[in-house]
Amino acid sequence: MHHKDGRSSFRTLQKFSPDYAPCTITKYESERTGMSVVVVDREGPKVNGFFTLATEIHDDSGAPHTLEHLCFMGSKNYKFKGVLDKLATRAYSNTNAWTATDHTAYTLDTAGWEGFAQILPIYLEHVILPTLTDAGCYTEVHHVDGSGHDAGVVYSEMQGVQNTQGELMDLRSKRLMYPESVGFRYETGGMMEQLRVLTADRIRKFHHDMYQPRNLCLVIVGDVDHTNLLSVLDKFETSILDDIPRPDAPFKRPWVESATAPPLTESIIETVEFPEEDESSGEITISFFGPSCNDLLHATALNILLVYLAGSSASVLENKLVEKEQVASAVYYSLEVRPKILIQFALSSVATERLREVEQRFFEVLKETAANALDMTYLKDCIARERRLIKDSAESSSTPFSEPIIYDFLFANKDGSVLKEYLANLNEFDQLASWPEDAWRTLVRTWISDAHHVTILGKPSAALSEKLKSEEKARVEKQKEELGPEGLEALKKKLAAAKAENDKDIPKGLLERFPVPSTHSIHFIGTTTARAGAAKKLGRLDNHVQKLIDSDETKSPLFIHFEHVQSSFAHVNLIISTEAVPVALRPLLTVYLENMFTSPIERNGQRVEFEQVIMELEKDTIGYSIGLANALGNPEVLNMRISVEVEKYGSAIRWLKEIIWSGIFDIERIASTTVRLLADIPEAKRSGSNMLSAIEEMIHSDPASVVRARSTLVNALYLRSVRYYLKEEPNVIIEQLRQIRDALFQFPNFRAVVVANVERLSGPVLSWKDFTAGLDTNQPLSPLEKRLSRLSEAGRNPGRLSYIVPMPTIDSSFALSVAKGPSSLQDPRVPALMVALSYLDAVEGPMWVAVRGTGLAYGTSFSRDTESGQVSYSVYRSPNAFKAFRTGKSVIEDFVSGKTGFDKLALEGAISSIVLGFANSQATMAAAAQMSFIRQVMRELPDDWNEQMLQKVRNVQAEEIRAVMKEIVLPVLTAGTANLIVTCAPVMEEELVTGFEGLGFKPEVRPLAYFQDDYGVKVPEQGNEDEEESSEGDGESE
């Protein structure tokens, strides 16, 4: 302790409980170092930390970003790379970090307080007193390898994003919005050309200037022991005082004491090209400066105004530009919290030749809005809904308030007074509800419609794609030439020496000093299940909630599963079987589902337009959606969800009934949706990782799969036929949509899931009576579709397919290999497989050290999917996916052969990571309820399955792990047992083909079009090119 009387040196600045959230917020500040601590106390199994530094730099060197990586390489008393993460893994923890323009945040994600408290001081020492060695900077940031190619973890990461559409447009916008004296102008991630010349000394200087305790705020969310926390921090401060700049030395607070951006003196519009072979559509971003971020009332008003303008299909900009005029596929908005708030709009998928015209139309609509009467009823509904959403977020988020606390630390008074004003209550919403129309109109004019702005027109360019490719190839060739064989050999040795220095073994004794914490401080959230109707066939339950349900039930035939939690909201889900939908019509589900909540309805014989439907839905709910039930453990069924305040439970069920059966198939609405979905396809096809997943869906799923039928690579062709028929024979599409509705919405297909405080529900079962009225309730419940039954032959028996897909829109490569795995959680190999994959995937574990640690890829991971009976291995954003893949394979081979043994402490860490995974899946009340339903209904597992599995996992022996690595894991990286997909920059194609052939694969080089499928629907409008594409797509699962 700092004080002689034993008191902590941390004094309390603020302590309050928001009147709308179940938590308490306390702000402390150290009298010794000025370090800030803000604790959000809330119940649950998780404790989350965000250790945030205000970071400001006036160049594109990437120094802030490099530290986000280098701080994990060792610290003063823990000089070994990986020691932090190995200790964290053992303590049920996971570490990560991010770099924003204005701050760097280091995260600690832990199950239980005991593990968090154990890791906290070690983590903070890594942040404040990292080693920052030359060797660490060389491997992590940038180096040229022995083959003459540029590599390094940070370099590879930025290589993957620097020439993307979003990055190019954002950088130009920043350059025009901010002068050279303002840090928001710069790319803090680092530009490739600057990363190539960045020195370790430059990085060390930035760390010395910014990484000081007085510039650090610890944001901690969870079940926190405050006395223990302050004791840990007092000891930590004592340990670093001799190594940090004097706390009373002059210090310029970043952002607060820096130059601020001057107002824009004119509006600027510029065109920025981005590499893309498909030149049909581009993007528009429009940026404005707003008021001070510390002006709570106007910041809140602006947020509500943006919801009014662009928050839904009924809002002004979305309704006119997207729904009616169809000149963009969406209008997005954002508010970036900065000293002067940054207001941004983005218009996506705009026809390239109309970019300038659409930008002008955007402002015409805004000016018309400001000049005419506002819809004050809808505006007041927006205010009320935003208030509800904040209350819901405070309850449902696993880390409520972390973001506003970080921004308060960056830009507000250090005493916490602004923080309390922002978070203690929602009084500003009451003030805004009384604002007259003129005040809102003034707000639109002042900050948006009449304000100076910067517009960037993003224009696709095939020529730029070719230019970048040839320039990069020429640069690397020149680099190789200049280095020569001797230079390359010297670099190879330099890299090997740096790796050797980085990878020194961590002394066993160091790790053993820290025991695995007990699980007593991990407080899992309890839920109580009750069942009604057909759900009772799963077994009768005896608890107070079931008695409530039984007292309300009037022999309801409907399957209703209740999860009782302490909540102010009711989440009503309807799980819907898709088996009855004809396979040929399943691709049309994309249009059908997209239109569910945005179509007109018939009510009491009168047509209610879709705008009115949306406004009423938003007035009654906090959220509504329909889509694949991935979150409920089965992507082959649908989940229709409406969330409301608990008092409006009956209203949610009435909405379900009305949306399902009273929706009108309106040709104009369907056409608008189809055009919008088609417009989004070029953008979706620009992402290497997204297309990797899309190709995987196409080759491993049967045409009957709903996942496959809704894939981008199906939509690319099928939606064109929908567009054609809507013009030429619209009744064909209307009839098909009716067939889908009739097939989906039958009584046997329904399972209702209600997550709520059941004690507060009015008529929990009786409220469903009207929903089922008129349905044939005598039919038996349909079984839930299984993902396994909808796999293709290639998905059921992988090992014969390998594809390399060049994409001009990416600068790096991505790989995915898939092989057979267990198809049931009851498979006796599952516990050993869980431990094996946890062991391999650990941060600073075998794969991390071999692949990411050597700059071969930004990351790799294994995935186990028992629903499809598959195990997969992915390489994410690599300068050469083959090298990353080959290295990963050799790691597994060494374990299988016995050349590499299993480390006892790392195995303990792997088991701790599995415990953390269980906690992550149940971090909030809603998540705990969801997992309870998945366990009981979707997976039909016993009540104590979690406990059983954790016990089995703890009993797994090393030989069992070696056995599953040989039997299941190694085949995932082996030709003949795995299917392989690679997406890459065109310049990499040749090298990747040669590399993977050397591993025994027989890769076919195919364009994306090869994998497209039109489900047999061919129309004249598509022409020869599209017919050719679709015929290619039909052969993808040979």
Side-chain angles (χ1 to χ4, degrees):
M1 296 292 180
H2 175 53
H3 292 284
K4 289 178 182 176
D5 60 5
R7 284 185 299 117
S8 170
S9 64
F10 285 84
R11 62 194 177 99
T12 305
L13 297 181
Q14 298 287 348
K15 184 172 183 178
F16 59 92
S17 297
D19 62 14
Y20 54 92
C23 68
T24 300
I25 298 172
T26 310
K27 177 163 187 173
Y28 300 103
E29 185 179 69
S30 169
E31 294 174 329
R32 279 198 286 181
T33 67
M35 186 196 301
S36 299
V37 184
V38 182
V39 179
V40 181
D41 280 297
R42 61 168 292 149
E43 292 180 8
K46 298 290 298 298
V47 182
N48 290 88
F50 304 87
F51 311 146
T52 307
L53 296 123
T55 46
E56 180 179 0
I57 197 166
H58 292 184
D59 60 40
D60 300 316
S61 67
H65 183 198
T66 65
L67 283 171
E68 170 212 316
H69 294 258
L70 292 169
C71 283
F72 292 95
M73 300 287 283
S75 68
K76 181 187 175 185
N77 293 301
Y78 305 90
K79 295 183 187 300
F80 302 90
K81 176 190 170 193
V83 68
L84 170 63
D85 284 303
K86 286 179 184 292
L87 289 171
T89 302
R90 287 165 58 76
Y92 316 117
S93 298
N94 187 29
T95 69
N96 210 331
W98 75 75
T99 305
T101 307
D102 48 27
H103 69 276
T104 304
Y106 295 83
T107 64
L108 180 58
D109 179 21
T110 308
W113 171 253
E114 195 177 324
F116 189 94
Q118 180 175 292
I119 296 303
L120 179 60
I122 305 166
Y123 200 162
L124 292 180
E125 184 182 290
H126 277 73
V127 172
I128 299 297
L129 302 176
T131 52
L132 300 183
T133 64
D134 288 346
C137 293
Y138 193 68
T139 58
E140 286 291 299
V141 180
H142 171 264
H143 58 265
V144 177
D145 64 20
S147 67
H149 289 89
D150 296 86
V153 177
V154 174
Y155 187 84
S156 298
E157 182 181 348
M158 298 315 294
Q159 183 183 45
V161 299
Q162 182 165 314
N163 289 315
T164 58
Q165 164 251 317
E167 184 71 14
L168 289 167
M169 291 176 68
D170 182 54
L171 186 65
R172 189 60 196 144
S173 180
K174 287 194 281 200
R175 298 290 204 244
L176 294 171
M177 293 289 287
Y178 297 99
E180 291 181 5
S181 60
V182 177
F184 290 108
R185 174 186 176 87
Y186 300 98
E187 173 47 77
T188 50
M191 304 289 283
M192 284 190 286
E193 49 275 21
Q194 294 216 26
L195 286 168
R196 290 197 286 264
V197 297
L198 179 61
T199 66
D201 282 340
R202 175 74 184 93
I203 295 168
R204 291 183 192 115
K205 182 174 188 318
F206 183 79
H207 182 274
H208 175 273
D209 293 345
M210 294 286 160
Y211 278 54
Q212 301 185 28
R214 56 184 159 182
N215 194 34
L216 171 66
C217 179
L218 312 183
V219 183
I220 304 173
V221 183
D223 201 341
V224 175
D225 179 334
H226 286 247
T227 305
N228 184 215
L229 169 66
L230 298 183
S231 172
V232 167
L233 292 177
D234 277 318
K235 287 173 187 168
F236 169 70
E237 283 198 329
T238 300
S239 74
I240 64 168
L241 281 175
D242 292 340
D243 297 290
I244 60 171
R246 286 174 56 86
D248 58 356
F251 179 72
K252 182 180 170 188
R253 189 176 168 197
W255 308 114
V256 175
E257 296 174 19
S258 303
T260 54
L264 293 170
T265 55
E266 60 177 344
S267 290
I268 303 168
I269 182 166
E270 277 199 14
T271 299
V272 169
E273 291 190 337
F274 60 90
E276 169 63 278
E277 281 191 342
D278 183 341
E279 296 185 331
S280 61
S281 69
E283 313 283 319
I284 301 172
T285 61
I286 305 162
S287 305
F288 311 81
F289 284 130
S292 163
C293 65
N294 294 323
D295 180 347
L296 173 59
L297 188 66
H298 283 91
T300 307
L302 261 179
N303 188 54
I304 289 161
L305 179 64
L306 294 179
V307 172
Y308 175 86
L309 291 173
S312 73
S313 298
S315 62
V316 179
L317 292 166
E318 275 271 332
N319 190 255
K320 289 204 173 178
L321 301 178
V322 178
E323 303 294 344
K324 299 286 176 62
E325 299 173 15
Q326 297 174 19
V327 295
S329 67
V331 179
Y332 301 104
Y333 69 86
S334 66
L335 284 179
E336 291 279 337
V337 180
R338 291 176 180 177
K340 279 185 186 173
I341 289 172
L342 184 69
I343 305 163
Q344 284 193 309
F345 289 93
L347 285 75
S348 62
S349 303
V350 177
T352 305
E353 67 278 6
R354 299 187 67 187
L355 286 167
R356 197 168 285 267
E357 171 198 339
V358 172
E359 194 262 358
Q360 289 172 353
R361 180 65 186 134
F362 174 87
F363 281 99
E364 286 172 11
V365 173
L366 279 175
K367 288 179 185 296
E368 288 165 12
T369 303
N372 298 324
L374 301 177
D375 184 341
M376 291 304 292
T377 303
Y378 179 50
L379 189 52
K380 288 189 176 181
D381 286 345
C382 290
I383 295 170
R385 190 164 195 262
E386 283 302 295
R387 182 201 287 263
R388 289 198 300 276
L389 288 171
I390 288 174
K391 290 174 72 172
D392 174 58
S393 175
E395 183 184 287
S396 63
S397 167
S398 59
T399 55
F401 306 123
S402 57
E403 198 171 287
I405 291 168
I406 287 172
Y407 287 120
D408 176 80
F409 162 67
L410 293 177
F411 306 128
N413 303 335
K414 295 203 79 172
D415 63 6
S417 56
V418 175
L419 182 71
K420 186 173 183 180
E421 181 195 351
Y422 256 69
L423 299 182
N425 55 56
L426 299 175
N427 292 348
E428 65 273 16
F429 287 88
D430 297 328
Q431 287 179 260
L432 294 174
S434 64
W435 267 24
E437 184 180 348
D438 278 351
W440 291 101
R441 196 181 281 112
T442 301
L443 196 73
V444 179
R445 288 182 176 138
T446 303
W447 300 113
I448 305 176
S449 66
D450 295 355
H452 291 311
H453 54 274
V454 168
T455 295
I456 303 296
L457 307 178
K459 183 181 175 186
S461 168
L464 179 61
S465 176
E466 284 300 314
K467 179 171 176 274
L468 289 170
K469 183 172 73 172
S470 60
E471 283 179 354
E472 177 64 5
K473 192 171 184 178
R475 187 190 68 78
V476 173
E477 287 305 318
K478 185 183 177 193
Q479 184 165 274
K480 288 181 183 177
E481 195 179 313
E482 288 174 349
L483 288 164
E486 288 181 10
L488 291 172
E489 184 60 29
L491 287 174
K492 184 178 177 182
K493 288 177 180 173
K494 184 178 179 182
L495 180 58
K499 287 178 183 174
E501 185 180 334
N502 290 339
D503 297 336
K504 286 177 183 169
D505 288 342
I506 302 168
K508 277 277 194 294
L510 178 58
L511 298 175
E512 287 171 342
R513 273 173 34 206
F514 298 90
V516 174
S518 79
T519 54
H520 296 311
S521 69
I522 305 174
H523 303 139
F524 284 97
I525 297 170
T527 69
T528 308
T529 302
R531 296 168 181 153
K536 285 187 170 178
K537 291 178 182 175
L538 293 176
R540 296 198 68 83
L541 299 168
D542 184 16
N543 57 61
H544 79 286
V545 181
Q546 186 64 56
K547 289 182 173 66
L548 278 173
I549 296 303
D550 291 343
S551 69
D552 184 59
E553 187 164 1
T554 52
K555 296 188 178 176
S556 167
L558 184 65
F559 180 110
I560 315 177
H561 178 106
F562 291 92
E563 286 292 338
H564 172 67
V565 295
Q566 294 303 317
S567 173
S568 302
F569 300 94
H571 306 283
V572 180
N573 302 268
L574 190 66
I575 310 296
I576 306 154
S577 165
T578 57
E579 192 60 34
V581 178
V583 171
L585 294 185
R586 288 181 190 178
L588 193 57
L589 277 168
T590 299
V591 174
Y592 182 82
L593 299 180
E594 193 73 18
N595 262 32
M596 276 292 281
F597 288 99
T598 59
S599 291
I601 59 172
E602 185 177 327
R603 184 185 289 159
N604 302 324
Q606 301 290 315
R607 178 183 170 112
V608 181
E609 293 301 337
F610 83 94
E611 294 95 338
Q612 186 61 33
V613 173
I614 291 170
M615 287 179 184
E616 290 180 21
L617 269 167
E618 292 190 346
K619 185 174 184 177
D620 282 351
T621 71
I622 56 164
Y624 51 89
S625 63
I626 185 167
L628 305 185
N630 299 60
L632 292 174
N634 190 337
E636 292 294 339
V637 300
L638 303 180
N639 180 21
M640 189 173 181
R641 176 185 176 103
I642 297 182
S643 298
V644 293
E645 290 167 299
V646 73
E647 297 80 11
K648 292 191 174 180
Y649 172 65
S651 171
I653 298 168
R654 284 193 294 277
W655 271 117
L656 284 177
K657 182 180 176 74
E658 191 165 45
I659 293 294
I660 289 171
W661 285 293
S662 300
I664 295 170
F665 295 121
D666 180 272
I667 293 169
E668 187 182 315
R669 295 294 309 128
I670 297 161
S672 170
T673 297
T674 305
V675 168
R676 179 163 48 80
L677 290 169
L678 273 167
D680 278 337
I681 288 170
E683 186 179 356
K685 288 165 83 171
R686 288 170 196 150
S687 164
S689 59
N690 286 354
M691 286 303 98
L692 197 70
S693 301
I695 295 166
E696 192 274 330
E697 289 165 0
M698 296 304 290
I699 67 175
H700 289 148
S701 300
D702 187 80
S705 165
V706 179
V707 174
R708 184 186 191 277
R710 298 184 74 235
S711 165
T712 300
L713 295 173
V714 171
N715 291 343
L717 296 182
Y718 190 89
L719 292 181
R720 295 182 198 176
S721 69
V722 174
R723 181 177 61 189
Y724 170 82
Y725 280 110
L726 285 169
K727 285 178 185 172
E728 304 298 327
E729 300 177 61
N731 288 335
V732 170
I733 301 298
I734 299 299
E735 180 52 36
Q736 290 177 341
L737 291 169
R738 283 205 183 96
Q739 286 179 48
I740 289 175
R741 177 158 70 187
D742 293 345
L744 281 177
F745 299 113
Q746 304 174 37
F747 180 79
N749 294 345
F750 293 152
R751 287 169 175 80
V753 186
V754 178
V755 178
N757 183 336
V758 177
E759 294 165 356
R760 293 179 59 190
L761 294 181
S762 174
V765 182
L766 204 58
S767 297
W768 289 91
K769 188 175 181 181
D770 189 47
F771 180 84
T772 55
L775 297 178
D776 181 357
T777 58
N778 294 315
Q779 299 178 65
L781 196 64
S782 299
L784 288 168
E785 297 80 344
K786 298 294 183 187
R787 180 88 183 101
L788 203 59
S789 67
R790 290 184 175 178
L791 294 180
S792 64
E793 171 58 26
R796 287 192 300 275
N797 296 295
R800 296 194 296 275
L801 302 181
S802 56
Y803 297 108
I804 289 177
V805 185
M807 293 176 60
T809 53
I810 60 177
D811 286 336
S812 54
S813 58
F814 303 80
L816 179 70
S817 57
V818 179
K820 274 190 169 182
S823 56
S824 164
L825 286 168
Q826 307 280 25
D827 188 311
R829 300 172 298 172
V830 166
L833 182 61
M834 288 172 71
V835 177
L837 298 188
S838 180
Y839 186 93
L840 290 169
D841 273 345
V843 178
E844 292 296 342
M847 302 301 278
W848 176 291
V849 169
V851 181
R852 179 176 168 130
T854 57
L856 290 176
Y858 187 70
T860 67
S861 64
F862 284 96
S863 176
R864 169 184 57 83
D865 184 2
T866 46
E867 309 303 321
S868 60
Q870 294 173 335
V871 176
S872 60
Y873 172 68
S874 69
V875 175
Y876 182 77
R877 205 185 284 160
S878 168
N880 185 319
F882 159 68
K883 289 182 180 177
F885 189 93
R886 179 184 61 188
T887 302
K889 185 180 183 188
S890 66
V891 169
I892 308 301
E893 286 172 335
D894 287 350
F895 278 115
V896 170
S897 69
K899 183 178 176 182
T900 305
F902 295 104
D903 180 86
K904 175 179 173 289
L905 299 177
L907 282 173
E908 290 176 355
I911 292 163
S912 293
S913 289
I914 293 168
V915 174
L916 175 60
F918 278 80
N920 283 337
S921 67
Q922 305 167 59
T924 65
M925 288 179 283
Q930 189 169 286
M931 287 307 297
S932 177
F933 170 76
I934 290 171
R935 177 179 53 72
Q936 296 178 63
V937 179
M938 293 299 202
R939 295 181 178 158
E940 300 174 349
L941 295 168
D943 286 351
D944 62 346
W945 184 82
N946 283 3
E947 292 77 12
Q948 277 186 38
M949 185 54 73
L950 283 174
Q951 191 55 54
K952 287 176 182 175
V953 158
R954 287 193 169 101
N955 292 336
V956 167
Q957 301 299 306
E959 283 313 305
E960 293 176 83
I961 301 170
R962 201 181 308 281
V964 295
M965 282 194 179
K966 181 179 179 180
E967 185 184 340
I968 300 173
V969 183
L970 186 55
V972 181
L973 293 98
T974 304
T977 50
N979 288 338
L980 172 73
I981 309 160
V982 180
T983 54
C984 65
V987 71
M988 299 176 179
E989 174 195 316
E990 208 173 295
E991 196 173 353
L992 291 172
V993 169
T994 305
F996 281 108
E997 282 177 345
L999 287 179
F1001 290 94
K1002 297 173 183 174
E1004 300 175 45
V1005 178
R1006 298 289 185 182
L1008 275 177
Y1010 174 80
F1011 302 96
Q1012 295 180 166
D1013 186 359
D1014 58 16
Y1015 274 64
V1017 180
K1018 294 179 173 59
V1019 292
E1021 185 203 49
Q1022 287 181 273
N1024 295 332
E1025 182 189 337
D1026 292 339
E1027 284 175 19
E1028 196 176 296
E1029 285 183 354
S1030 65
S1031 64
E1032 284 182 336
D1034 289 340
E1036 85 288 304
S1037 57
E1038 293 169 1

